[in-house]
Amino acid sequence: MGFLLPMAFSKVVSSVILVVSFLSLTFTLAFPGSSHGGGFGGGYSGLCPEFYEFSCPQANDIVMSVLEKAIGREPRMAASLLRLHFHDCFVQGCDASILLDDSATIVSEKKSGPNNNSVRGFDVIDEIKAKLEQACPQTVSCADVLALSALGSTVLSGGPSWELPLGRRDAKTASLSASNANIPAPNSTIQTLIALFNRQGLDEADLVALSGSHTIGVARCVTFRQRLYNQNGNNQPDATLERTYYNGLKNTCPRIGGDNNISPLDLASPIRFDNTYFKLILQGQGLLNSDEVLLTGNVGKTMELVKEYAGNEGVFFEQFANSMVKMGNISPLTGSNGEIRKNCRQINN
């Protein structure tokens, strides 16, 4: 009898522990933002792919339905939304600061050199957010809308998919100065590109793979005019430009005027996400200086990767997916930091 009481007591304690553990897990699953890390599993600074599994299970379907229509109307929009996520993450982390308009307390990042008259797609983000607010009020952050839109845009353009960690929260601040300082310019040298990516915890493999997003989209004349007319301050074109390609670009982009004339970043398949971008670089048909220097900048690692991705689309897709997850994990706000904006263009009152 003396042994039975402790055994019975032990069973009761074990049962209580099991019940408490189950209830704790159930609560965490039902309210994924309840723990400071913002969910379970994943291992991405409090982010996890299942973040909205119970709080807004239809989130991805809502995002994709809007994207399908928007990209169907204008295929270029896929590249614009992918670029929004990139320009957001490189400025104080992936926190939707790029979406904030000017206000009494906010100086908008939309006015920075890299963004002004350039970044676009805000109306599509607004439409997605409005539909999410109808279905799941104040649940899905604008930062996650940007991340989901970048993933959806890649997939709808024929590119790879990836398991996307979620649970980012939205910033209550923006930084015009960081936007000017952190986002690589189209005329960047390879050394500048590597330094700016390293500042965000991204390496050469990430630089080359993420540059591969230029397989879709367009660029304005003002971003590549220097290569056509005055690459090194001597009134001569960039010698690495293939001659026929160079002549065609001059028709699009005159020496004076036409700043907003556009040319595809990937001349061969401008709305399909593939590895043609890297093949074109090997042929001297990379549009931006920041594209061509991946090959001609005399950095062995980036040169090798351009050649590898040109020859093997599967390897490029795999690295692009990994690098997008890595970029999407730059300094996210989680737990009680930041907020879930009701309107992506302004902080909550």
Side-chain angles (χ1 to χ4, degrees):
M1 189 72 177
F3 291 102
L4 291 175
L5 281 173
M7 286 178 66
F9 180 74
S10 174
K11 286 182 178 179
V12 170
V13 170
S14 297
S15 298
V16 169
I17 290 172
L18 280 171
V19 170
V20 170
S21 298
F22 175 76
L23 289 174
S24 174
L25 178 60
T26 303
F27 181 79
T28 304
L29 289 174
F31 303 97
S34 58
S35 62
H36 182 73
F40 62 98
Y44 297 104
S45 302
L47 307 181
C48 68
E50 311 90 344
F51 193 88
Y52 299 112
E53 187 175 351
F54 293 90
S55 58
C56 194
Q58 66 272 54
N60 190 58
D61 289 342
I62 291 171
V63 172
M64 290 301 288
S65 69
V66 176
L67 290 181
E68 284 170 4
K69 291 175 186 171
I71 294 169
R73 285 192 305 268
E74 184 190 14
R76 174 189 170 194
M77 184 56 68
S80 300
L81 294 171
L82 195 51
R83 188 161 175 257
L84 262 186
H85 182 45
F86 169 59
H87 281 216
D88 179 42
C89 290
F90 267 54
V91 181
Q92 66 183 33
C94 307
D95 60 1
S97 59
I98 194 171
L99 302 179
L100 290 170
D101 287 336
D102 278 333
S103 72
T105 58
I106 299 292
V107 179
S108 178
E109 293 170 16
K110 296 175 184 179
K111 299 191 297 186
S112 73
N115 292 336
N116 188 38
N117 198 27
S118 177
V119 287
R120 57 199 294 277
F122 299 108
D123 291 345
V124 177
I125 298 299
D126 289 341
E127 184 181 349
I128 292 170
K129 180 61 172 172
K131 285 184 161 56
L132 286 168
E133 285 300 302
Q134 287 178 340
C136 320
Q138 273 196 277
T139 301
V140 181
S141 67
C142 299
D144 277 347
V145 170
L146 285 173
L148 286 163
S149 297
L151 169 57
S153 294
T154 302
V155 171
L156 290 172
S157 301
S161 184
W162 53 91
E163 189 174 60
L164 177 62
L166 297 165
R168 300 164 192 80
R169 289 168 66 84
D170 300 325
K172 299 178 183 179
T173 61
S175 178
L176 180 65
S177 59
S179 185
N180 278 317
N182 292 354
I183 298 172
N187 63 347
S188 295
T189 64
I190 189 65
Q191 290 77 19
T192 299
L193 290 171
I194 291 171
L196 289 173
F197 272 69
N198 285 347
R199 186 186 294 176
Q200 304 295 341
L202 302 172
D203 59 24
E204 284 93 337
D206 301 313
L207 164 62
V208 180
L210 292 172
S211 295
S213 64
H214 287 176
T215 178
I216 55 176
V218 300
R220 295 180 302 145
C221 165
V222 70
T223 64
F224 58 88
R225 176 182 283 125
Q226 174 185 325
R227 297 191 72 203
L228 304 181
Y229 302 104
N230 191 24
Q231 174 69 347
N232 297 309
N234 58 358
N235 289 315
Q236 294 298 313
D238 186 338
T240 66
L241 278 168
E242 190 270 327
R243 182 58 53 176
T244 304
Y245 182 56
Y246 161 70
N247 287 329
L249 289 177
K250 284 201 300 180
N251 291 332
T252 301
C253 184
R255 185 184 290 269
I256 298 171
D259 285 5
N260 292 323
N261 294 354
I262 56 174
S263 181
L265 288 154
D266 172 347
L267 190 65
S269 55
I271 61 173
R272 178 160 186 82
F273 197 104
D274 54 25
N275 68 333
T276 306
Y277 163 82
F278 296 105
K279 296 175 182 177
L280 292 173
I281 289 177
L282 293 179
Q283 297 167 19
Q285 295 181 13
L287 180 61
L288 305 178
N289 191 72
S290 58
D291 298 323
E292 197 60 43
V293 295
L294 299 175
L295 178 70
T296 60
N298 293 318
V299 173
K301 176 71 171 174
T302 66
M303 293 169 67
E304 290 168 16
L305 287 169
V306 168
K307 293 172 184 174
E308 183 176 9
Y309 297 160
N312 192 325
E313 187 174 82
V315 172
F316 162 51
F317 276 18
E318 183 177 358
Q319 182 59 54
F320 183 81
N322 291 338
S323 294
M324 284 297 290
V325 171
K326 192 172 172 184
M327 184 185 78
N329 189 45
I330 298 173
S331 305
L333 298 171
T334 58
S336 59
N337 296 314
E339 63 182 9
I340 307 297
R341 281 183 222 143
K342 298 174 190 173
N343 177 341
C344 290
R345 293 175 181 264
Q346 60 191 47
I347 60 175
N348 296 338
N349 294 326

